[in-house]
C-alpha cells in the first residue's frame, strides 16, 4: 500500500516547507491549496497550506500526521503556489515569509491567537453544533482564551475546526481583529426632498424659511453649490454646505425637520453600492485613440507594453477601455498603483466606469476585510472583485483567471517592499504574475523608470507614447529662479515665487509648494564649534520639530529635548540650519498672513484619514496653499492649482545614489504636472542655487529623453541597472567588531566566484548605526549577460554554509535583490 505525504507551507520565517503524513482516512480529501492543521514542535498547532503531494518521506525527520483539514475547497490557487515559488527564488527569501505576507491574518489560525466573543454576535445558537455552543458559553464567562486554554476547556486536542466555524459564523473574533476594527469614514450628503425638488416646491420651501435667516442662507447656498440651474447637478457635502453658508449643523437639521433637505450617509474609502447601468462611457481624443490602437496591436506580439504619456495625457481612459474588454471576456483584471495614490478620487473614478465590479485592496484594511476581498477574488464569479484596484500587496490575491495587469506610475519606488521580507518589487512581480496566467501587462508613467525604458528600447516591451495633454490643456510654463542672497534674502522664497503666489491668491487659485524634507530644521548647529546633536541610538543628526518642540530622529523615531547649550563647548549660540515643511509653513504665514495653509507630510498624516482629509479639504477649496514633501507629487488631480513652487531643486539632485538624477527629474516633472490642469495654463517655478544646472534645464524643457539617454550611457559605462542586477547584502549586529569581521570574511568567500571588481564594499552606509545596531553593506553587481539564477543559487548555498558557522550565527543577514 502506498503512503502519501503532503508538503505543507507554514507561516514561519524559515527557508523550507515541511513534510507531513496524510492519514489514510484523509487521503481522498487532501489536495493542493487547502489549509490543514498540523502539530509543530512540542507544543504548537499551526495552519499551513498544502503545496504538493508526493510519496517521498523526509530524510531529516520522521513525518508527523496532519491533524485535520480546515477547508473543503482550496483557498490558494495553483498559480499562486507557482508565483510564490518564483518569488522565493528570485528575491532569495523564505517561503514562509511570503506566506505571511500573502495570506491575510484572518486565514491563519495559530496556537498563539487569542479568541473572544464577538460583541456583535446575535445570540442565535441554532447554527452551531454542541461543542461550538459550549465554547460560546465558556467565552461569555471567561472573556479571553488562547488556543491552549480553548483546548483545555473543551477537553479535546483538535479545536481548529470549532474555532473556524465560530469565526465564520461571526460568533467569535480573533483578538487582533478587534483592536483594529475598521471604522469606515462616512460622508453626509445633502439633497432636496422629493416634494421640494421642483419650482413650486422650492418656492414653498423659501417661504417656509423666510423668517429664519440662517436657514434661508443654507438653502440659497445649496442651490448655488448644487449648480441647480446649470447643466450638471453637483452633489453637495454637508460639511461643505455648512462651511460655505457659515451655518451650524443644527441649521441643516432644522431644514431636514421641515422636510426641505434630506441627508444621505455614504461610506467613503470602502466601496459604496453603485447602481448598475449607471456606468459611464469613455470618450477619447485622437492621441488616446492612436495610443490605444498601438497598445492593442503590440499586445499581439508582446506580453508587456510601456505607455509613456506626459502628465494629464489621459492614461486612465485608456486603461479603462482595456479593462472593459477583459471584463467582457470574463477575465480578472489587477490594477496596481502606489498606496498613496489610492485616493477616494481614484476609486470613485473607476467606480463610475465599472460599478460594483471594482474591489479595493490596500494596507489600511484590517484582517476581516482582507479575508472578504480574498474570498471574492477566489470565487471569481464574474461580478464584484473581477477588477481589483490595489497597492503592491494585491499581487498576492488568489487570481485564477487574470487577463490583464496594469501598473500605474510604474516608476514609483514605493512599489518596492523594503521591510520586512519578502523584499519584492510589485511592478516586476506583477509582470511575472501576468505571465503565469498568460495575461498581458501594461505599465504606465509620465516619467518611466530607466529599467522599463531600456526594456522597451531593446524590444522586450512594446513602447507607446502620448505627448499631448487631454482636453486641450497645455503643459505648464516652467521657469527657474535663483536662490542667491540678493534674490532670496530669507533663503526660502525668491522674489519671483512670492510675486506669483500673491497673484494666485488674488485670483483665488491654489498653490502647491514642494519641499522634500519634513520637520522644521534638519540641523541644530553650534555657531562657535560646529557641534550638532545626534541620536544616541543612530549615527544621524536630529531634526528639529517645532510643533512638538523636540528633536526627532528620522531613522528610529526617538525624541529628545532640545538643548539650550552646546554639549561640546558650552556656548548658547545654537542656530537652526536648513528648512523643512514645518518651517516653510511658518514662513509662508509671515508672508501671507491671510492665506489658508496646510501641510502634507508624514507628520500631518499620521492618522488613518489624515491624508484623505487634507486632500478633500484642498479639493473643496478650504486650503489656498498646500505645502508638502513628495506626497504632493503623487498623481493628484486638482482643478484649481495654478502654481507649483519647487523650493530647493538642488536638494533633490544631491542623493548619494546612482539613481539621483533619475529621481530628481521624476519628482520635479511629476510635481510640475499638478499645475494648471483645466482650462488655464499653469506655472511652475523651480528655485535653485544653480538654475543653469543641466538636469534642471531638462525639466524646464520637458526633455525626458535627453536625461534618460545620458543617464543610460553612464549606467552602461559603470555597470549599473538596467545593465547589471544589484544584490545588496546587509550584515547587522550590535557589536561593530563582529559586523566588520563577518562582512570581511564573507567578502573573501564571495570573491571566490564573483569578480572582485563587481563586489562593492564591505562599507558602512551614510547612517551606519540604527537603533544601536551596526549595518555594513556589500553590493554585488551582476552583469546582465550572466545568468543571474546561477549566481543567486551560489549565493544561496554560500549563505547556508557561511551562517551555520558558530562565529557568524548571531549576525543578521538581510538580502535585498534589486534595491531601489
Ligand atoms: Zn535614532
Ligand atoms: Zn559648541
Amino acid at each position: 500500500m502506498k503512503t502519501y505525504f503532503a508538503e505543507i507551507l507554514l507561516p514561519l520565517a524559515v527557508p523550507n516547507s515541511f513534510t507531513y503524513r496524510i492519514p489514510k482516512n484523509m487521503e481522498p480529501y487532501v489536495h493542493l491549496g487547502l489549509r490543514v492543521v498540523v502539530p509543530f514542535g512540542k507544543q504548537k498547532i499551526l495552519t499551513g497550506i498544502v503545496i504538493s503531494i508526493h510519496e517521498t518521506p523526509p530524510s531529516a525527520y520522521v513525518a508527523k500526521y496532519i491533524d485535520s483539514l480546515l477547508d473543503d475547497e482550496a483557498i490558494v490557487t495553483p498559480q499562486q503556489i507557482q508565483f510564490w515559488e518564483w518569488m522565493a527564488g528570485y528575491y532569495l527569501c523564505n517561503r514562509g515569509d511570503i506566506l505571511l505576507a500573502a495570506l491575510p491574518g484572518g486565514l491563519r489560525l495559530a496556537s498563539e491567537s487569542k479568541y473572544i466573543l464577538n460583541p456583535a454576535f446575535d445570540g442565535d445558537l441554532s447554527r452551531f453544533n454542541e461543542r461550538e455552543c459550549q465554547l460560546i458559553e465558556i467565552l461569555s464567562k471567561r472573556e479571553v482564551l488562547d488556543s491552549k486554554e480553548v483546548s483545555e476547556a473543551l477537553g479535546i486536542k483538535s479545536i481548529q475546526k470549532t474555532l473556524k466555524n465560530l469565526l465564520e459564523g461571526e460568533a467569535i473574533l480573533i483578538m487582533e481583529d478587534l483592536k483594529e476594527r475598521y471604522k469606515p469614514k462616512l460622508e453626509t450628503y445633502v439633497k432636496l426632498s422629493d416634494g421640494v425638488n421642483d419650482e413650486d416646491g422650492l418656492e414653498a420651501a423659501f417661504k417656509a424659511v423666510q423668517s429664519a435667516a440662517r436657514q434661508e442662507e443654507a438653502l440659497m447656498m445649496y442651490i448655488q453649490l448644487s449648480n441647480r440651474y446649470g447643466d450638471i447637478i453637483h452633489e453637495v457635502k454637508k460639511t461643505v454646505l455648512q462651511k460655505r453658508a457659515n451655518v451650524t449643523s443644527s441649521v441643516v437639521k432644522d431644514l431636514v425637520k421641515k422636510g426641505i433637505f434630506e441627508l444621505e450617509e455614504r461610506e467613503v474609502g470602502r466601496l459604496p453600492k453603485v447602481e448598475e447601468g449607471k456606468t459611464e462611457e469613455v470618450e477619447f481624443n485622437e492621441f488616446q485613440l492612436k495610443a490605444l490602437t498601438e497598445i492593442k496591436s503590440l499586445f499581439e506580439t508582446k506580453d508587456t507594453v510601456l505607455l509613456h504619456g506626459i502628465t494629464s495625457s489621459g492614461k486612465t481612459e485608456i486603461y479603462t477601455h482595456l479593462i472593459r474588454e477583459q471584463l467582457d471576456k470574463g477575465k480578472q483584471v489587477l490594477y496596481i498603483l502606489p498606496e498613496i495614490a489610492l485616493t477616494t478620487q481614484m476609486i470613485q473614478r473607476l467606480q463610475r466606469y465599472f460599478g460594483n465590479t471594482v474591489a479595493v485592496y490596500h494596507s489600511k484594511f484590517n484582517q476581516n476585510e482582507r479575508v472578504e476581498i480574498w474570498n471574492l477574488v477566489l470565487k471569481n464569479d464574474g461580478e464584484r472583485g473581477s477588477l481589483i484596484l490595489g497597492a503592491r500587496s494585491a499581487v498576492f490575491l488568489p487570481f485564477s483567471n487574470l487577463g490583464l495587469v496594469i501598473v500605474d506610475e510604474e516608476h514609483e519606488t514605493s512599489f518596492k517592499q523594503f521591510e520586512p521580507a519578502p523584499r519584492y518589487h510589485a511592478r516586476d512581480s506583477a509582470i511575472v504574475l501576468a505571465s503565469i496566467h498568460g495575461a498581458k501587462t501594461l505599465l504606465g508613467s509620465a516619467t518611466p523608470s530607466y529599467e522599463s525604458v531600456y526594456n522597451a528600447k531593446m524590444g522586450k516591451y512594446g513602447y507607446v507614447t502620448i505627448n499631448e495633454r487631454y482636453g486641450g490643456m497645455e503643459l505648464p510654463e516652467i521657469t527657474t529662479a535663483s536662490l542667491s542672497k540678493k534674490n532670496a534674502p530669507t533663503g526660502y522664497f525668491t522674489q519671483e515665487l512670492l510675486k506669483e503666489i500673491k497673484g494666485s491668491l488674488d485670483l483665488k487659485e491654489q498653490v502647491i509648494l514642494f519641499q522634500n524634507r519634513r520637520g522644521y530644521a534638519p540641523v541644530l548647529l553650534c555657531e562657535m564649534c560646529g557641534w550638532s546633536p545626534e541620536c544616541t541610538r543612530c549615527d544621524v543628526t536630529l531634526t528639529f520639530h517645532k510643533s512638538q518642540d523636540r528633536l526627532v530622529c528620522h531613522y528610529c523615531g526617538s525624541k529628545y529635548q532640545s538643548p539650550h547649550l552646546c554639549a561640546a563647548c558650552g556656548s548658547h549660540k545654537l542656530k537652526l540650519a536648513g528648512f523643512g515643511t514645518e518651517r516653510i509653513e511658518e514662513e509662508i504665514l509671515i508672508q501671507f498672513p491671510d492665506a489658508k495653509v496646510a501641510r502634507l507630510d508624514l507628520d500631518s498624516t499620521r492618522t488613518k484619514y489624515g491624508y484623505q482629509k487634507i486632500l478633500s479639504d484642498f479639493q473643496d477649496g478650504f486650503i489656498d496653499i498646500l505645502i508638502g514633501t513628495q506626497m504632493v507629487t503623487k498623481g493628484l488631480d486638482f482643478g484649481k492649482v495654478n502654481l507649483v513652487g519647487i523650493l530647493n531643486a538642488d536638494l533633490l539632485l544631491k542623493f548619494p545614489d546612482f539613481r539621483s538624477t533619475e529621481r530628481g527629474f521624476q519628482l520635479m516633472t511629476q510635481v510640475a504636472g499638478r499645475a494648471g490642469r483645466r482650462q488655464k495654463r499653469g506655472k511652475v517655478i523651480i528655485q535653485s542655487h544653480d538654475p543653469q544646472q543641466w538636469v534642471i534645464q531638462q525639466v524646464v524643457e520637458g526633455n525626458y529623453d535627453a536625461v534618460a539617454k545620458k543617464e543610460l550611457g553612464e549606467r552602461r559605462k559603470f555597470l549599473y541597472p538596467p545593465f547589471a542586477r544589484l544584490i545588496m547584502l546587509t550584515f547587522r549586529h550590535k557589536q561593530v567588531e563582529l559586523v566588520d569581521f563577518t562582512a570581511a570574511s564573507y567578502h573573501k568567500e564571495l570573491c571566490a566566484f564573483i569578480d572582485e571588481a563587481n563586489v562593492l564594499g564591505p562599507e558602512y552606509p551614510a547612517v551606519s548605526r540604527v537603533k544601536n545596531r551596526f549595518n555594513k553593506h556589500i553590493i554585488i553587481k551582476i552583469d546582465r549577460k550572466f545568468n543571474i539564477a546561477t549566481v543567486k543559487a551560489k549565493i544561496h548555498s554560500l549563505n547556508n554554509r557561511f551562517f551555520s558557522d558558530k562565529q557568524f550565527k548571531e549576525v543578521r543577514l538581510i538580502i535585498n535583490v534589486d534595491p531601489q
Side-chain angles (χ1 to χ4, degrees):
M1 213 159 69
K2 281 181 179 169
T3 307
Y4 287 100
F5 296 91
E7 278 312 295
I8 310 293
L9 187 56
L10 295 174
L12 301 168
V14 293
N16 298 333
S17 55
F18 293 84
T19 310
Y20 283 86
R21 230 175 126 161
I22 304 174
K24 275 274 161 282
N25 62 352
M26 245 184 236
E27 266 175 22
Y29 310 105
V30 177
H31 56 93
L32 239 62
L34 284 187
R35 275 179 304 168
V36 293
V37 179
V38 293
F40 186 79
K42 286 212 170 65
Q43 303 271 325
K44 278 187 190 169
I45 299 279
L46 292 174
T47 43
I49 305 282
V50 179
I51 55 169
S52 73
I53 294 168
H54 55 81
E55 294 170 39
T56 323
S59 55
Y61 53 92
V62 177
K64 292 177 185 168
Y65 278 103
I66 291 175
D67 182 282
S68 57
L69 293 176
L70 273 189
D71 307 303
D72 301 326
E73 310 224 10
I75 64 149
V76 167
T77 63
Q79 291 95 333
Q80 275 179 295
I81 296 173
Q82 201 185 333
F83 180 57
W84 296 352
E85 216 36 53
W86 166 81
M87 190 173 265
Y90 186 87
Y91 290 105
L92 294 169
C93 61
N94 296 319
R95 285 163 179 74
D97 283 329
I98 298 174
L99 184 65
L100 277 166
L103 212 60
L107 292 174
R108 299 192 305 259
L109 308 180
S111 48
E112 289 86 2
S113 303
K114 287 196 159 82
Y115 303 90
I116 56 166
L117 213 57
N118 185 348
F121 175 48
D122 55 13
D124 176 12
L125 295 174
S126 62
R127 59 182 186 269
F128 299 111
N129 67 25
E130 196 178 330
R131 189 171 283 152
E132 289 154 10
C133 293
Q134 195 189 343
L135 185 56
I136 291 174
E137 170 124 23
I138 297 167
L139 273 173
S140 66
K141 287 182 196 133
R142 289 183 48 192
E143 289 180 354
V144 186
L145 295 178
D146 62 25
S147 299
K148 206 166 150 238
E149 291 166 326
V150 170
S151 172
E152 280 166 6
L154 293 177
I156 51 164
K157 255 178 83 185
S158 235
I159 52 166
Q160 302 298 329
K161 193 111 196 179
T162 308
L163 290 171
K164 182 198 163 213
N165 288 343
L166 288 170
L167 280 165
E168 282 178 3
E170 294 175 345
I172 65 168
L173 294 173
I174 299 178
M175 260 292 244
E176 60 196 7
D177 287 343
L178 190 71
K179 261 190 271 157
E180 45 180 72
R181 273 267 282 281
Y182 183 67
K183 282 200 195 73
K185 185 189 178 192
L186 292 175
E187 199 105 63
T188 310
Y189 287 81
V190 179
K191 57 181 194 180
L192 289 179
S193 312
D194 286 342
V196 183
N197 208 357
D198 56 39
E199 291 322 298
D200 291 345
L202 203 55
E203 207 185 316
F206 269 111
K207 258 193 198 124
V209 296
Q210 233 169 20
S211 54
R214 312 283 347 146
Q215 292 176 22
E216 191 175 17
E217 195 79 24
L219 186 55
M220 296 221 311
M221 185 49 76
Y222 174 84
I223 304 288
Q224 192 192 324
L225 290 174
S226 67
N227 194 25
R228 189 179 160 77
Y229 299 106
D231 295 335
I232 305 161
I233 306 290
H234 296 168
E235 300 204 293
V236 180
K237 282 186 206 163
K238 182 164 169 268
T239 46
V240 175
L241 177 66
Q242 283 165 203
K243 243 184 199 173
R244 294 288 297 273
N246 196 18
V247 298
T248 59
S249 179
S250 68
V251 174
V252 175
K253 217 177 182 176
D254 288 340
L255 284 161
V256 174
K257 271 190 207 147
K258 286 187 181 168
I260 297 171
F261 280 168
E262 268 173 17
L263 299 183
E264 193 182 314
E265 274 205 336
R266 258 187 254 160
E267 263 183 32
V268 187
R270 283 182 84 187
L271 304 173
K273 285 271 174 207
V274 180
E275 279 168 45
E276 291 301 332
K278 237 176 147 180
T279 49
E280 287 175 16
E281 284 302 314
V282 186
E283 276 177 40
F284 292 108
N285 65 24
E286 55 176 309
F287 307 103
Q288 289 170 308
L289 207 57
K290 185 167 163 281
L292 184 62
T293 320
E294 283 174 22
I295 292 168
K296 283 197 198 174
S297 90
L298 281 165
F299 270 153
E300 285 171 20
T301 53
K302 312 266 183 203
D303 289 332
T304 307
V305 171
L306 172 62
L307 173 59
H308 181 181
I310 57 171
T311 52
S312 294
S313 54
K315 293 188 282 294
T316 315
E317 285 77 16
I318 293 177
Y319 301 156
T320 49
H321 179 93
L322 294 165
I323 293 169
R324 168 68 65 214
E325 275 189 349
Q326 293 300 319
L327 294 179
D328 287 347
K329 281 191 218 161
K331 292 278 191 178
Q332 297 171 305
V333 177
L334 170 62
Y335 183 153
I336 54 173
L337 67 179
E339 180 93 41
I340 207 156
L342 264 176
T343 53
T344 315
Q345 195 181 28
M346 186 69 209
I347 294 167
Q348 287 174 346
R349 200 163 157 193
L350 279 188
Q351 278 171 352
R352 281 205 299 273
Y353 293 127
F354 299 109
N356 283 319
T357 324
V358 196
V360 183
Y361 194 74
H362 63 77
S363 70
K364 298 247 162 87
F365 278 13
N366 75 6
Q367 298 305 351
N368 288 332
E369 291 160 318
R370 284 175 194 225
V371 174
E372 257 175 56
I373 303 277
W374 183 281
N375 290 335
L376 273 179
V377 176
L378 191 66
K379 200 164 75 182
N380 184 29
D381 61 3
E383 286 166 28
R384 201 150 175 225
S386 303
L387 168 58
I388 293 290
L389 177 64
R392 63 172 179 241
S393 57
V395 297
F396 290 117
L397 286 169
F399 298 103
S400 51
N401 186 24
L402 262 182
L404 175 69
V405 176
I406 292 168
V407 183
D408 199 8
E409 312 286 344
E410 68 87 30
H411 62 277
E412 268 290 326
T413 40
S414 62
F415 278 132
K416 179 81 159 94
Q417 160 94 357
F418 181 60
E419 200 64 48
R423 297 179 177 80
Y424 65 101
H425 195 299
R427 175 196 61 216
D428 302 345
S429 303
I431 291 172
V432 173
L433 180 69
S435 80
I436 288 173
H437 286 266
K440 303 291 175 184
T441 307
L442 182 63
L443 309 176
S445 174
T447 50
S449 66
Y450 293 163
E451 277 86 349
S452 297
V453 163
Y454 176 78
N455 281 326
K457 297 256 147 95
M458 297 305 286
K460 194 174 165 196
Y461 299 169
Y463 187 51
V464 176
T465 55
I466 313 180
N467 294 314
E468 297 287 330
R469 279 186 143 186
Y470 185 64
M473 273 180 286
E474 279 182 278
L475 276 171
E477 176 194 355
I478 307 179
T479 54
T480 56
S482 166
L483 279 168
S484 66
K485 258 262 160 334
K486 202 173 141 231
N487 195 39
T490 59
Y492 310 106
F493 314 114
T494 54
Q495 304 294 345
E496 292 91 332
L497 185 60
L498 287 176
K499 184 174 150 255
E500 289 296 338
I501 294 175
K502 185 170 181 305
S504 289
L505 292 177
D506 288 346
L507 291 171
K508 303 253 174 277
E509 288 167 342
Q510 291 175 309
V511 178
I512 289 178
L513 298 179
F514 171 43
Q515 168 70 356
N516 209 16
R517 207 172 238 175
R518 67 193 172 94
Y520 189 80
V523 192
L524 184 66
L525 196 70
C526 171
E527 281 185 84
M528 302 306 286
C529 75
W531 172 84
S532 288
E534 291 189 359
C535 180
T536 56
R537 307 172 70 209
C538 316
D539 283 334
V540 65
T541 54
L542 299 166
T543 300
F544 181 62
H545 286 242
K546 197 171 187 184
S547 59
Q548 310 173 32
D549 190 24
R550 287 283 184 282
L551 293 164
V552 179
C553 171
H554 283 186
Y555 279 76
C556 73
S558 300
K559 290 176 185 170
Y560 301 84
Q561 292 275 4
S562 264
H564 300 291
L565 299 173
C566 171
C569 73
S571 157
H572 62 272
K573 286 198 161 175
L574 296 175
K575 74 163 188 190
L576 292 164
F579 52 88
T581 43
E582 200 182 347
R583 192 166 194 173
I584 292 298
E585 185 180 17
E586 189 177 287
E587 291 294 328
I588 210 81
L589 282 167
I590 295 171
Q591 300 284 344
F592 305 100
D594 297 328
K596 285 166 284 175
V597 178
R599 189 154 53 83
L600 192 70
D601 57 28
L602 212 55
D603 300 304
S604 68
T605 56
R606 292 248 183 246
T607 60
K608 219 170 187 177
Y609 295 112
Y611 182 67
Q612 289 292 357
K613 168 100 179 69
I614 294 169
L615 288 188
S616 64
D617 279 357
F618 193 54
Q619 213 166 2
D620 294 335
F622 298 135
I623 297 167
D624 302 320
I625 303 176
L626 183 66
I627 298 159
T629 55
Q630 54 176 301
M631 281 186 174
V632 297
T633 67
K634 314 282 172 187
L636 307 169
D637 192 357
F638 300 115
K640 276 186 264 168
V641 176
N642 201 44
L643 175 66
V644 167
I646 297 170
L647 296 181
N648 189 337
D650 311 327
L651 205 64
L652 298 171
L653 295 166
K654 249 187 241 154
F655 288 106
D657 183 316
F658 73 94
R659 290 187 203 273
S660 175
T661 299
E662 180 182 4
R663 297 271 176 271
F665 184 89
Q666 273 168 1
L667 280 172
M668 285 191 260
T669 305
Q670 293 281 349
V671 74
R674 308 303 129 218
R677 312 277 303 203
R678 284 164 210 153
Q679 290 118 20
K680 192 172 165 182
R681 188 172 188 203
K683 280 193 180 135
V684 179
I685 294 180
I686 304 177
Q687 300 193 138
S688 165
H689 287 98
D690 181 13
Q692 292 310 312
Q693 207 270 358
W694 188 77
V695 179
I696 294 176
Q697 284 306 314
Q698 304 316 305
V699 176
V700 170
E701 287 162 26
N703 205 345
Y704 172 91
D705 290 341
V707 184
K709 192 167 170 231
K710 182 158 180 279
E711 274 300 296
L712 282 168
E714 306 255 306
R715 302 238 189 126
R716 184 195 296 273
K717 200 162 133 201
F718 298 106
L719 199 61
Y720 274 100
F723 301 97
R725 305 271 193 185
L726 302 186
I727 300 177
M728 186 163 84
L729 304 169
T730 305
F731 301 85
R732 180 177 295 169
H733 196 269
K734 50 180 189 284
Q735 282 173 333
V736 68
E737 300 82 6
L738 183 58
V739 172
D740 283 335
F741 177 57
T742 310
S745 314
Y746 189 97
H747 181 262
K748 220 165 121 197
E749 302 244 5
L750 196 62
C751 290
F753 61 94
I754 297 177
D755 181 1
E756 196 168 344
N758 289 333
V759 180
L760 309 180
E763 62 187 5
Y764 288 110
V767 179
S768 60
R769 189 175 51 113
V770 175
K771 296 185 193 174
N772 278 332
R773 298 275 185 291
F774 290 89
N775 295 285
K776 206 163 191 177
H777 294 326
I778 289 179
I779 293 174
I780 306 166
K781 298 202 277 188
I782 306 168
D783 196 314
R784 235 187 136 90
K785 55 181 187 263
F786 294 137
N787 183 339
I788 187 161
T790 320
V791 182
K792 279 182 186 164
K794 284 186 183 164
I795 294 173
H796 186 68
S797 74
L798 168 61
N799 290 344
N800 286 345
R801 185 165 48 82
F802 188 86
F803 285 96
S804 59
D805 188 331
K806 253 209 318 277
Q807 48 184 343
F808 305 127
K809 249 191 180 135
E810 297 294 305
V811 178
R812 208 177 141 207
L813 173 72
I814 294 136
I815 306 174
N816 192 353
V817 176
D818 303 338
Q820 288 294 305

